[in-house]
Amino acid sequence: DRYGRGEAPRLARDMALPAIRFPNEVVIRVHAASLNPLDLSMRSGYGATALNMKRDPLKLNSADSEFPLTLGRDASGEVMECGLSVSYFKPGDKVWTAIPPWKQGTLSEFVVASGNEVSFKPKCLSHTEAASLPYVGLTAWSAINKVGGLNKENCAGKRVLILGASGGVGTFAIQLVKAWGAHVTAVCSNDASPLVKKLGADDVIDYRSGNLEEQLKALPLFDFILDNVGGSTEKWALDLLKKWSGATYVTLVTPFLVNMDRLGVADGMLRTGVTIGSKTVKHLCKGVHYRWAFFMPSGPYLDEIAELVESGKIHPVIDQVFSFSEVPEAFLKLEGGHARGKTVINVIDKQ
């Protein structure tokens, strides 16, 4: 009902059943959902300016139209109802999805999604396992494939560096580029190194054991860097790329929504455009590509991820599972950081 920290989320027992408003939508009964760092940020009001503009571009509703706001982006569950133009799904189908942040989320018994945001759940996964993958999978897919340009045809033998490798996006990204034949260097804390090695990382660097920049500079140069950390790493990480070879640095830590919250829509978009433009040109002159990436909701991309899961190349990495009544505790767990995969919520007990 309001933005805040630990006390902000509450269980609402009298929410209306979500209704189909457009013919391409489906209602999903949620069996399991999961938490992402974005949920922590949205709980505190991050991105509210841009997201409210997307929710209500003509400002037809009151200023507080986003409340009550349901968090949660991932869902695995069962189709309950389909809009008139939905032909791929029918009631009873087992599906998974990642809902964009301007829509009501998945920490709920029912959620509405567009048909093109939904995909058939891999049969080899339980709902609990499946709920851990869509948001991080699509975020990594966006960064590596759509923005970074890597795919199963051109990735073999490429040297890939993943900063922040033990979280949800990092653990997925390791498996994805390994499935495509890359050589992976993963940066994480020492206690996470067994996990990332098990996922296929060729080299593991402990960021706590000495100067990370110096450790990485001692290695051969990279073709691709995925940065889940941001901050000061951006100042030196691009020097680790091969020059004039099409090497690309992609960061998932961008000031886009922060700028709009702080400066308003028009000035925020202008500031963001100037920032990305100047950084892109500056690094292009040095022979490397600089890019920002964002989560993209997509049923077709989830179909491709499902194929990799079914073939055994991608496995869910789950840190801890909570029941629906334990969502506040799950948020506390996520706040603690140092994730080893995903925090999953069993919305209904039967899996």
Side-chain angles (χ1 to χ4, degrees):
D1 302 299
R2 59 194 168 90
Y3 294 122
R5 291 189 61 78
E7 75 288 349
R10 69 172 181 86
L11 177 65
R13 299 185 182 278
D14 55 355
M15 295 284 279
L17 189 71
I20 288 175
R21 296 168 56 206
F22 300 99
N24 69 329
E25 290 181 335
V26 298
V27 177
I28 298 169
R29 186 184 187 200
V30 180
H31 285 236
S34 72
L35 296 186
N36 296 282
L38 177 65
D39 295 306
L40 288 179
S41 302
M42 286 181 66
R43 182 190 65 181
S44 301
Y46 167 77
T49 302
L51 297 176
N52 281 341
M53 186 183 74
K54 179 70 176 175
R55 292 177 185 120
D56 187 17
L58 299 179
K59 296 192 179 302
L60 298 176
N61 298 316
S62 67
D64 292 333
S65 60
E66 73 261 43
F67 297 117
L69 180 65
T70 305
L71 297 173
R73 308 271 54 97
D74 299 285
S76 180
E78 181 181 341
V79 174
M80 298 295 291
E81 187 180 351
C82 298
L84 293 175
S85 70
V86 175
S87 57
Y88 292 108
F89 304 104
K90 64 184 185 305
D93 284 342
K94 306 292 189 293
V95 295
W96 62 347
T97 185
I99 307 290
W102 54 86
K103 294 185 179 181
Q104 288 288 39
T106 59
L107 293 175
S108 174
E109 291 175 296
F110 300 92
V111 69
V112 171
S114 297
N116 58 6
E117 296 163 356
V118 179
S119 168
F120 290 107
K121 176 184 77 68
K123 292 184 174 64
C124 61
L125 299 184
S126 68
H127 286 296
T128 305
E129 293 169 327
S132 70
L133 285 173
Y135 183 83
V136 294
L138 290 170
T139 303
W141 193 277
S142 162
I144 294 167
N145 178 260
K146 305 316 294 180
V147 175
L150 295 184
N151 56 52
K152 59 186 175 185
E153 274 80 37
N154 67 11
C155 197
K158 292 272 174 70
R159 287 183 53 78
V160 174
L161 172 64
I162 298 174
L163 300 164
S166 65
V169 174
T171 53
F172 186 95
I174 292 170
Q175 297 180 83
L176 180 60
V177 293
K178 282 305 294 182
W180 289 344
H183 178 285
V184 177
T185 300
V187 175
C188 60
S189 62
N190 185 52
D191 58 330
S193 62
L195 168 65
V196 297
K197 283 178 182 172
K198 182 182 173 187
L199 294 174
D202 300 284
D203 297 323
V204 180
I205 307 294
D206 177 9
Y207 66 83
R208 292 172 175 164
S209 65
N211 186 307
L212 176 60
E213 182 181 352
E214 295 305 318
Q215 290 184 77
L216 290 171
K217 282 184 175 174
L219 299 174
L221 294 173
F222 295 95
D223 299 288
F224 183 87
I225 297 175
L226 176 61
D227 187 357
N228 299 297
V229 178
S232 61
T233 53
E234 190 175 294
K235 295 175 182 172
W236 50 262
L238 284 106
D239 295 331
L240 305 171
L241 289 169
K242 296 175 183 175
K243 306 294 186 287
W244 307 107
S245 66
T248 305
Y249 166 93
V250 177
T251 178
L252 290 164
V253 184
T254 75
F256 176 60
L257 292 179
V258 172
N259 282 346
M260 292 183 72
D261 286 340
R262 189 165 56 90
L263 302 170
V265 173
D267 288 347
M269 291 180 76
L270 180 63
R271 173 70 61 86
T272 301
V274 169
T275 302
I276 182 67
S278 61
K279 286 186 176 183
T280 300
V281 171
K282 175 181 134 185
H283 293 297
L284 203 55
C285 293
K286 296 179 182 178
V288 295
H289 297 288
Y290 175 95
R291 299 281 188 270
W292 289 352
F294 304 91
F295 158 74
M296 294 181 185
S298 171
Y301 297 157
L302 278 177
D303 290 343
E304 296 192 52
I305 292 169
E307 286 182 23
L308 289 166
V309 172
E310 296 278 16
S311 65
K313 294 177 179 175
I314 301 272
H315 301 276
V317 181
I318 296 174
D319 193 359
Q320 194 169 346
V321 180
F322 292 84
S323 69
F324 198 27
S325 61
E326 296 172 325
V327 166
E329 291 91 331
F331 270 94
L332 288 173
K333 168 76 173 60
L334 196 62
E335 275 181 46
H338 307 294
R340 303 292 175 262
K342 290 297 296 293
T343 300
V344 177
I345 310 296
N346 273 350
V347 176
I348 59 176
D349 292 330
K350 185 181 175 184
Q351 290 300 316

